[in-house]
Amino acid sequence: MAAPSTASQQEGSMLQQQAIAQARLAFSKFPKEEAVFQACIQQQESLVDVVKNVLQETKAHKKKKSSLLLDKFQKYTLWLQNIGDVVDIAVQTQAGIACPIWAPIKFVLKVSDNHSKAVARVLHLIETISATLPRFEIYEQLQTNDALQAALLHVFTDIVEYSVCAFRFLKRSTLERLSRSLGQSHDQELQDLVARLERHSRAADHTAVAVELLKASHHRRQESLNHRKEMKLRCEKWLSPANIKEVHERHVRSRSSRTCTWINNNERYKRWEDLGSSAVSDRCLSISGKNGCGKSVLSSYIVEQLERQQRSTLLFAFSSTGTCQRTAADMTRTLVWQLLHKSVDERSVDIVHELMSRGQLVTSDLWEALGKILDLSLAPVFCVVDGIDECDDIDRTVIERLFKILHCNSMLRVVLLGRPPAIQGISLTSTFNVSVIEVTATVISQDINSYIEDEIAKSQLLSDSKSTNEISHILQEKSDGMFLWVKLTIEDLRKAATRSEIVERIQKSPRGLEDIYRAILSRLIQKLDRFELQLAQNILGFATVCCRPLTYDQLRYAHALDLRSRCCSSTPRVLDEFLIVHPIQRIVELCGGLIFEADGVVRLIHSSVKDFLARPPDQWSKSADSNLSSFFVAESNFHGLFSHLCLDYLNMAWDINLLSEPSELHTIHTRYPFLKYAALHGVYHLNRVGSPSPSLLGKLQTLFEAFQSDFWVVYWASLILDDTSLEMLALMMDEYMSFDVWIGCHIKLDLTIAFFKDVGQELITRTRNLGPSHHLSAQWQTLFDFAKDFADSDAHIYIEDEHVIHSNERKFEDTTSLELSLPHFSNSRVKFDPSRIGALVNSRFGKSLSCRIELTLGLNILLKRSMKLSDPLEKLLQLLLTKAEDLPLVVLNSIALFYLRLSKFETAIQFFEAALSKIRGQNIAKEFGLHNDISYCYRMLLNNEKALHHCDLAHAGMESLFGKQHVKAIESLATKCEYLCLLERYEESRECCSSLIVRSQAVYGDNHEETLMARYWEGRSLYELKRCDEALVCFQAASATKNPTRKLNVKYFNSIVLYRLKRYEEALPFFQEVLANDTANLGEGDKNTLSSLYWTGKSHYRLSQYNDALAAFQKLSAANKIASGVNDKITLGSMFWVGLTLYQLGRYEESLASFREIVIADKMVYGENHQATLESISKVLECLYHLHRYDDALLLAGKYGTLVSSIPGDCLFKLHRYDEAFLWFQNYQNIQKERFGEGHEGTAITLHWVGVCLAETYRYEEALLWFQKTLDAARLRHGNLYEGIIIDVYWAGLCFHNLNRYEEALECMDIRLVRPGRVNLCLMAECHLELSQYSRALECLEKICIDGDKHNLNELLLMAECHEELSQYEKATTCYILAYNIEELDVLD
């Protein structure tokens, strides 16, 4: 890249030097010694002024021509000044010529004898240059550019040379100029110079444009780079990836230089690292090892080695105690960010940006984005995932998604590290063989030895000991491949005071992590006094069972609360007296190094410590652990202790006079560190207590009473108003639902009802005593409303005098001025109107908590009282929308619900979206609830695509937050099933319903309404997938619902499925029941009633109950005409069924009239050549055919060349126009063959008529071919019993007979015919007669009359002839007499 740039610079420098040389040469030709020229250089007089002066001196200005010249010159005043400044800089700085560009021109004008001519020539010159150099602003900006300076120097050179030439020419006398002109043309010379100047000027302009474009290109490139950089920063903020870099660097620093190298020689690892194989089994590797064996350090070593080879690497480390390192979503977010950070393909940013535009992060979308970005990679990508066993939500789905990406991207290689159970689970999930490397003590023995040597070398006491080799040997032998054990043991050895103590300690050192934990705890028991021991026990217990890692301040307060509760003092003591005063380092020592502190948060050093301390009680009863029982963390007991502490702090908190010092929430939590944890996670611990003690229940009762204090109103209002605390509030409400169940097992109290009843009664009391507009009443009303909203409770609230609670919900037609109280913690009363809210938003909003509460409460009551959207209120709400970023979420949510109540769904979506933007990405219940609200709005707007999108986000969030079998997750999944079905994505809907049914059965049971509705939607999906048998099973199961409306819907679709299965007799009663119910409840004109009527009519029709069907369709048609008019598709459909039913009843005239009416409407609605119109015309033809109006039918068919029907052929046949009928049937048969296939029944019928037409025109040989095709197709479909076969056999036999091929005729008709038919028997008799087989002929004729039928004339004559040939004259005579009686035939003749 550097070479071309350097060459270009060298070339530009050469051109610039040439331009400078040419400019100096041209300037050297000028008479610089003349005083006039020097004056032109020195004077500031402009060129226009010079022109004006020379014209005045010669009185030339009085001439009209000169005046025009001056006027034209003055137009260029500004241009001359600007372009002169630009060129002068180039000339003076580059060529070192102190001569302004216009000085030579001024000189020529002043010394010229003919000023008018000189001015005219100069004007022409200026006009030429100005036309080619119009962009002086660009030239000025680019005046430091070498290429442009060289081009401008050329312009200067041309002007100087032009001036020299003009000076020579214009200075001469008229006679001299005339004589010289005979020898050469000075005008031509000047014109050539002007032309050259024009070229150079244009070149300068083009150069400037090119440089500007290049500069703009560089600018755009830089802007693009800056934009990409900014986008990446936004993506990072949005993805919130884990800080794995810090984790990686910590592991790299902690690794001994001689460890982990064994992995490079492992054959499975080398096969994984080798790019030669792209097999999935070679691209996926698992590394399994027990606790403390160095897997995390090994993972960082692998990454470090790959990065040294310039390989693209990704790293993620799960950690049960880390931030953003717990879930699969954390992993995908982090890996996407790492890929984005490393990728040079700009499309990767676009992929993440598109993901951001969807809104809430959904795990499935993250996996999809991860796969897409990996697809962009041109180089192999090595992904290392450590601690897979510490992932909170690892399941089959996560592994399958990872393997799917591995399958789809051959450039990806993955290594997973974890404990054996997790690695074994991955191997079982995989569809291919996953290579596993087991990190055993033997494998890493050399690493352990190196680590021991390095750690010993860090300690002067250990390294100087004569027993160093013995120490190393014992550590190696006892470590069993665990670096953590070695680390803890060496830390213990460093505490030794003498060399002999080192030897004694190492010889007595325990084996394994559990034993070393026992040793540490035993030493603590021996070393610590009772106060220190109690502190260590509390800290370890709190760190083990806490809901989330505690800060050191929170631990101090938790311990202080416990100490104060144990204090036997008769006088209450201040909590501060019990707070720990030691620094955190001292606490770590007191806990034996089993905890550590990072970023102010205290955690256990390893998850195995928690496993050890919280073991089942029976494992602590062993003799080895009997003395350690004080450290046993019985989770139920510690949850009980935590519950006591939280309740104590909450009960204590309401005594704190916060009302006198209103402040922001974070200030409150800073001053009272344990308040937030107690408020958020106290219920979590209560849910895990088991059987509560009486004292715990007493504290709960005290807390319920405390809820009726103003402190709690302010505190919970603060939580609601502070968007950052919504996660806390949402989690608390979720735990509250479980707590309701828990307390119901121990106290005969419905906590939900009790809580709302207590709050409600307090609200009633305050409303009665203080009035509904008092600020305290308003606060309680808000707490009551918001608690219900956030709890999302469907429980009925039983409150005495409930009308008092809602007394403030009066109807106000005018909301421009409402009498409300300001919640300023005082009793002042002011007017509260929309303008007041606007003032709060524009000025004081957000400066104090009281101001936020004031706005929230005022707006909440304003919206509740407003039953319509007045102009002032609408303007206010639109103002609030513009200020959405500054408003609390609850304000936006309240406005959205207000618009939702008014069915203004578009505006409601705007406010819901604004509310959602404030908490997007927090993964809290309220966030997903907002997605549900938005989904509902889009559903009401019939935008099911967007409704499904938000429903998906809501469902994914609820599922990840609460679990797959939580009520909220099930409800959102049910909504998703419905949307998928409405969007005609039936296969997805069916799969979704199957999952929903399994979950509903597990949570609710088989006969619960939610389970039955899941069955219903599964049936809907199966029905649309044409899987009617399965759909019927679903609908029959769903019919157990107790909900009348649902039951009716189930019956309706159950009937349709029965109809589709052609079980019309079973379907009809259901349709009639649904119809009767719809008619009674909805009315005869309702669309549901008409739909039921339609299916009822169709069922009657299929059962050949045409009169009942006709009554239903006529009623349906009349109702549709009233509702939608004649020219409506639904109306036309019902009219069509009326025509069909009349046709089946043989009422052809009425049917004809109906179909003709339909044809007229079809042409208007669909068009003349639409399939629906042509089908109606076909029915008109059929009616005309049955009315024997063949000519009318043919005339109508002739108008439609695209008509596909057999009726014209039938009409031609009836009119004995067999040749034309043949052509029609033949063409019709070709069309049917293309549409339906050769074996279709309709195609076979047409084949038959082609053969008949040929037979009628005596073309028997051709006819036989067609009849043979018809017979083959009919026998293939129906066998020999089909009635159509008898007819075709007759015609085939007739053709053989007429061709005198009697034996073939008999073979055709006689073989395998169970029901031969009269005409066939008669024809067979004729064939036998022609073959002189008279007895056989008589047998055929006698079969005709088995059922009592009488012979016709032809049959009697045939019988007479046979008897005569058999010399049975009496019988022959009898037959002739019978024939004579039929036709009065003189047989004697």
Side-chain angles (χ1 to χ4, degrees), residues 1268-1284:
Q1268 192 59 50
K1269 291 180 182 180
T1270 308
L1271 284 168
D1272 291 343
R1275 283 172 176 152
L1276 183 64
R1277 289 192 312 275
H1278 305 289
N1280 288 325
L1281 297 179
Y1282 182 52
E1283 187 175 350

Side-chain angles (χ1 to χ4, degrees), residues 1015-1074:
R1015 291 282 191 191
Y1016 166 76
W1017 283 108
E1018 183 182 32
R1020 288 279 300 270
S1021 303
L1022 289 167
Y1023 164 72
E1024 297 293 349
L1025 291 169
K1026 306 293 190 292
R1027 295 161 62 175
C1028 292
D1029 288 315
E1030 297 171 74
L1032 185 61
V1033 174
C1034 293
F1035 287 131
Q1036 288 175 342
S1039 63
T1041 177
K1042 301 295 189 296
N1043 185 299
T1045 303
R1046 292 179 178 178
K1047 198 175 192 70
L1048 202 63
N1049 284 334
V1050 171
K1051 285 185 177 181
Y1052 175 76
F1053 278 98
N1054 184 67
S1055 307
I1056 292 178
V1057 171
L1058 288 170
Y1059 180 91
R1060 294 297 185 198
L1061 291 171
K1062 299 183 180 180
R1063 294 162 62 175
Y1064 308 120
E1065 291 184 0
E1066 297 174 67
L1068 181 58
F1070 284 112
F1071 281 132
Q1072 289 173 329
E1073 182 181 351
V1074 174

Side-chain angles (χ1 to χ4, degrees), residues 195-214:
R196 189 175 71 184
L197 178 59
E198 183 180 8
R199 289 196 304 275
H200 284 158
S201 298
R202 185 171 285 108
D205 183 63
H206 290 170
T207 301
V209 171
V211 172
E212 176 65 15
L213 290 174
L214 182 62

